Amino acid sequence: MKIGNRKKIAIIGVGLIGGSMALQLHEKKLSSRLIGVEASKEHAEQALEYELVDEFLPLDEAIATAEIIILAIPVNKMVTLLPQVLDKVTDQVVFDLGSTKTAVIEAVKHHPKRGRYVATHPMWGTEYSGPKAAVRGAFEGKAVIICNPKESDPDALEWVEKMYTKIGMRLVQMEAKAHDLHVAYVSHISHITSFALANTVLEKEKVESAIFEIASAGFESTVRLAKSNPEMWVPIFLQNRENIIDVLTEHIDQLTRFKESIQTNDNAGLQALINDANKIKRIIK
Amino acid sequence: MKIGNRKKIAIIGVGLIGGSMALQLHEKKLSSRLIGVEASKEHAEQALEYELVDEFLPLDEAIATAEIIILAIPVNKMVTLLPQVLDKVTDQVVFDLGSTKTAVIEAVKHHPKRGRYVATHPMWGTEYSGPKAAVRGAFEGKAVIICNPKESDPDALEWVEKMYTKIGMRLVQMEAKAHDLHVAYVSHISHITSFALANTVLEKEKVESAIFEIASAGFESTVRLAKSNPEMWVPIFLQNRENIIDVLTEHIDQLTRFKESIQTNDNAGLQALINDANKIKRIIK
């Protein structure tokens, strides 16, 4: 399957992620036709209004028509829908954009069409959702993780990797278990701390209504992910439960160290904790 | 003291905050001459190189020369230096830019020159420090809190409020105790969660070196405050100890609720926690 030819591409789930992918495929001239599949009538109408896809079709018709099939739906729906999609696939290439990988790969492990599927996770998102939130050029310059590449047919893997490269993404290959551990640390925990911070402050706001008059940019950047939607995030937290519990336990320990150092007026201890944290400068410029 | 006349202004501490204030005073034509006072020779040289101030003078000479004196130093140094500055003041206006207010106001409560001092906290900062980090137009459009305004002489208060208004800041008057409570919620806790998150992930990185290859914008925005410097933040955490312990206790409770819901596979409970957190949309657009 040559990358050079434009493909008929079906996107199942045209929200923030699927919609932004549609814009990239169109812009990079990778698609000859973009077919949406949407459970929400409202989202389908918005996606057409914003010209994210050319048309919407029912699932079976979209699968039969497309050469490439992309799944961009919540990860709980992924584990049930992906096997059903593979049931109907002949030689199409299928890939997903989900944030967890172990469960979905496990769900199709023994499927006769397993080879047509490539497990991917482009590392981009925002706190907004739905087709209106789709962003042009979203994925460019970011990392994309390809999981368990040896389980995919070489031609399917090649097309997906070339497509991501053409979009401008940096390819990282990883086993699903390592992926789920790493994203717990660099993505999932950030969302939980933001949600919890929002709840902490909103709880106080009930009695102190003036509290947000003075909120500054530092607060906004720490709390912005708290706007993220539960339909996407609850399934991620539950599918990646074990890793997230480990990270959360460590994070609560780290917060408790700050609390104890402050309680005991431990200047040197606090200094040491912050010096450690400052080492993040090596990573985040 | 008319706002219309440019003033000779001394800034004690020409780092991120003092340096950014110097740029605003110059740009808004509020200063006829900007005098720096710096303990660090390196910072003084950088501040001159970046043209943040016109010259550096020793503290006593700066106080004697200036009509306006601004303190922009860590809050532990503030409580000892402010009384010493007031000892040497005749009719100058003195104000500080510190992040905590109860301790510093308490430190000069019975000082014969208390009236010359205005307690202020402009709600702006970044995770960087030193004169190199100074930003043009930093304070514009932000809130500035004026604490215990009745304890300041009317002419001193008037000059400071007009100055902030001319810079483009939104004035909020508040008692020191309310200020310290509110900033614990909308500023100090954000820094602690960022520091603790950095330590959580860096701890894991020791055994999983690939972890940051895939870090995305969400992680960066939650963790960026972890680059903030300990010289500024340790004294803030210790001076605002009681409020910060309350907020941290609540925040750890909120995180524990997430942990328990995930552990028990409580879909509805997680959904409810995130729905609550989403209400932050009312406040942060």
Side-chain angles (χ1 to χ4, degrees):
Chain A
M1 201 172 261
K2 288 189 185 165
I3 186 85
N5 305 336
R6 292 185 176 211
K7 305 289 181 202
K8 282 178 278 186
I9 302 179
I11 300 182
I12 304 172
V14 189
L16 166 70
I17 305 293
S20 300
M21 183 54 72
L23 289 168
Q24 295 262 239
L25 293 168
H26 179 74
E27 197 213 339
K28 300 294 180 183
K29 302 184 175 23
L30 289 153
S31 57
S32 60
R33 188 169 155 203
L34 283 164
I35 302 155
V37 179
E38 246 309 328
S40 153
K41 203 183 156 193
E42 192 193 345
H43 277 192
E45 281 166 7
Q46 288 173 2
L48 288 173
E49 187 190 330
Y50 285 83
E51 299 183 343
L52 301 180
V53 294
D54 299 305
E55 62 182 325
F56 276 88
L57 289 179
L59 180 63
D60 288 0
E61 215 175 313
I63 295 172
T65 308
E67 297 159 279
I68 309 288
I69 298 154
I70 305 174
L71 290 93
I73 53 178
V75 295
N76 57 331
K77 294 183 182 159
M78 200 80 82
V79 292
T80 54
L81 193 64
L82 178 62
Q84 295 169 22
V85 168
L86 289 183
D87 288 346
K88 287 160 193 156
V89 154
T90 54
D91 64 346
Q92 296 98 315
V93 172
V94 181
F95 66 99
D96 79 313
L97 311 177
S99 299
T100 53
K101 285 285 158 285
T102 306
V104 66
I105 285 177
E106 192 61 30
V108 295
K109 197 172 178 175
H110 302 295
H111 197 286
K113 292 287 180 183
R114 170 64 182 89
R116 305 316 299 158
Y117 165 61
V118 185
T120 88
H121 180 197
M123 296 304 295
W124 177 84
T126 76
E127 65 273 34
Y128 305 105
S129 55
K132 282 185 189 174
V135 173
R136 254 168 236 287
F139 299 96
E140 293 172 24
K142 310 294 191 303
V144 56
I145 307 171
I146 313 285
C147 283
N148 301 24
K150 288 178 185 161
E151 295 171 22
S152 301
D153 293 345
D155 72 305
L157 180 65
E158 191 189 354
W159 191 88
V160 171
E161 291 198 334
K162 284 191 174 164
M163 178 273 304
Y164 276 127
T165 303
K166 203 160 177 189
I167 284 176
M169 299 199 82
R170 193 160 30 86
L171 299 173
V172 180
Q173 290 195 349
M174 212 179 267
E175 290 304 289
K177 274 189 196 310
H179 167 277
D180 284 7
L181 172 71
H182 288 190
V183 296
Y185 277 91
V186 297
S187 167
H188 304 174
I189 185 71
S190 293
H191 285 79
I192 294 177
T193 56
S194 265
F195 287 132
L197 184 60
N199 284 346
T200 302
V201 181
L202 289 164
E203 193 57 39
K204 194 68 187 179
E205 193 210 12
K206 289 177 187 166
V207 285
E208 296 280 347
S209 63
I211 216 159
F212 291 110
E213 256 185 80
I214 59 169
S216 65
F219 178 72
E220 288 199 25
S221 95
T222 337
V223 89
R224 75 170 175 84
L225 297 178
K227 294 183 273 184
S228 304
N229 89 345
E231 286 68 31
M232 172 171 174
W233 284 98
V234 170
I236 291 172
F237 296 157
L238 293 179
Q239 273 195 8
N240 204 15
R241 187 167 62 238
E242 286 178 31
N243 289 316
I244 290 176
I245 293 299
D246 284 351
V247 190
L248 255 176
T249 303
E250 171 70 23
H251 185 52
I252 291 171
D253 277 358
Q254 292 287 352
L255 283 168
T256 305
R257 286 192 208 182
F258 272 91
K259 185 175 160 183
E260 286 169 359
S261 301
I262 293 169
Q263 259 168 336
T264 58
N265 234 325
D266 180 3
N267 202 309
L270 271 176
Q271 180 92 26
L273 285 171
I274 296 180
N275 283 337
D276 283 346
N278 282 174
K279 291 177 190 148
I280 203 76
K281 286 179 195 168
R282 279 195 289 112
I283 289 125
I284 311 286
K285 297 300 165 203
Chain B
M1 199 172 266
K2 286 189 185 165
I3 185 84
N5 304 337
R6 291 185 177 211
K7 305 290 180 202
K8 281 178 280 186
I9 302 179
I11 300 182
I12 304 174
V14 189
L16 166 70
I17 305 294
S20 300
M21 183 54 73
L23 289 169
Q24 295 261 238
L25 293 167
H26 179 73
E27 197 214 340
K28 300 294 180 185
K29 300 184 175 29
L30 288 154
S31 57
S32 61
R33 189 170 156 203
L34 282 164
I35 303 156
V37 178
E38 246 307 329
S40 152
K41 205 184 154 193
E42 192 194 344
H43 277 193
E45 281 166 8
Q46 288 173 3
L48 289 173
E49 188 191 329
Y50 286 82
E51 299 183 343
L52 301 179
V53 295
D54 299 306
E55 64 181 325
F56 277 89
L57 289 179
L59 180 63
D60 287 2
E61 217 175 311
I63 295 172
T65 310
E67 298 159 278
I68 309 288
I69 298 156
I70 305 175
L71 290 93
I73 53 177
V75 295
N76 56 331
K77 295 181 181 161
M78 200 81 84
V79 291
T80 54
L81 193 63
L82 178 62
Q84 294 169 24
V85 169
L86 289 182
D87 286 347
K88 288 159 193 157
V89 152
T90 52
D91 64 347
Q92 296 98 313
V93 172
V94 180
F95 65 99
D96 79 313
L97 312 176
S99 299
T100 52
K101 285 285 159 284
T102 305
V104 66
I105 285 176
E106 191 62 30
V108 296
K109 195 172 180 177
H110 303 295
H111 196 286
K113 292 287 180 181
R114 170 62 183 92
R116 304 316 300 158
Y117 165 61
V118 184
T120 87
H121 181 196
M123 296 305 295
W124 176 85
T126 76
E127 64 273 34
Y128 305 105
S129 56
K132 283 185 188 173
V135 173
R136 256 169 234 287
F139 300 96
E140 294 172 23
K142 312 292 190 304
V144 56
I145 308 171
I146 313 285
C147 283
N148 300 24
K150 287 180 184 159
E151 295 171 23
S152 302
D153 292 345
D155 72 306
L157 180 65
E158 191 189 356
W159 190 88
V160 171
E161 292 198 333
K162 284 191 175 163
M163 179 275 303
Y164 275 126
T165 304
K166 203 160 178 190
I167 283 175
M169 299 199 83
R170 193 160 30 86
L171 300 173
V172 180
Q173 290 194 350
M174 212 179 267
E175 289 305 287
K177 274 189 198 309
H179 167 275
D180 285 6
L181 172 71
H182 287 190
V183 293
Y185 277 90
V186 297
S187 166
H188 304 173
I189 185 70
S190 293
H191 286 79
I192 294 178
T193 57
S194 265
F195 287 131
L197 184 60
N199 285 345
T200 302
V201 181
L202 288 165
E203 193 58 41
K204 193 67 186 176
E205 194 213 11
K206 290 178 187 166
V207 286
E208 298 278 348
S209 62
I211 216 158
F212 292 111
E213 259 184 74
I214 58 171
S216 65
F219 178 71
E220 289 199 24
S221 95
T222 335
V223 90
R224 75 170 176 83
L225 297 178
K227 295 184 272 183
S228 304
N229 88 349
E231 286 69 32
M232 172 171 174
W233 284 97
V234 170
I236 291 171
F237 295 157
L238 293 180
Q239 272 194 10
N240 204 14
R241 188 167 60 239
E242 286 178 31
N243 289 316
I244 289 176
I245 294 296
D246 285 351
V247 190
L248 256 176
T249 304
E250 170 72 21
H251 185 51
I252 290 171
D253 278 359
Q254 292 287 351
L255 283 168
T256 306
R257 286 193 207 180
F258 271 90
K259 185 176 159 182
E260 286 169 358
S261 301
I262 293 170
Q263 260 169 336
T264 58
N265 234 325
D266 180 4
N267 202 308
L270 271 175
Q271 181 92 29
L273 285 172
I274 297 181
N275 283 337
D276 283 346
N278 282 174
K279 290 177 190 150
I280 203 76
K281 287 178 195 168
R282 279 194 289 113
I283 290 125
I284 312 285
K285 296 302 165 205

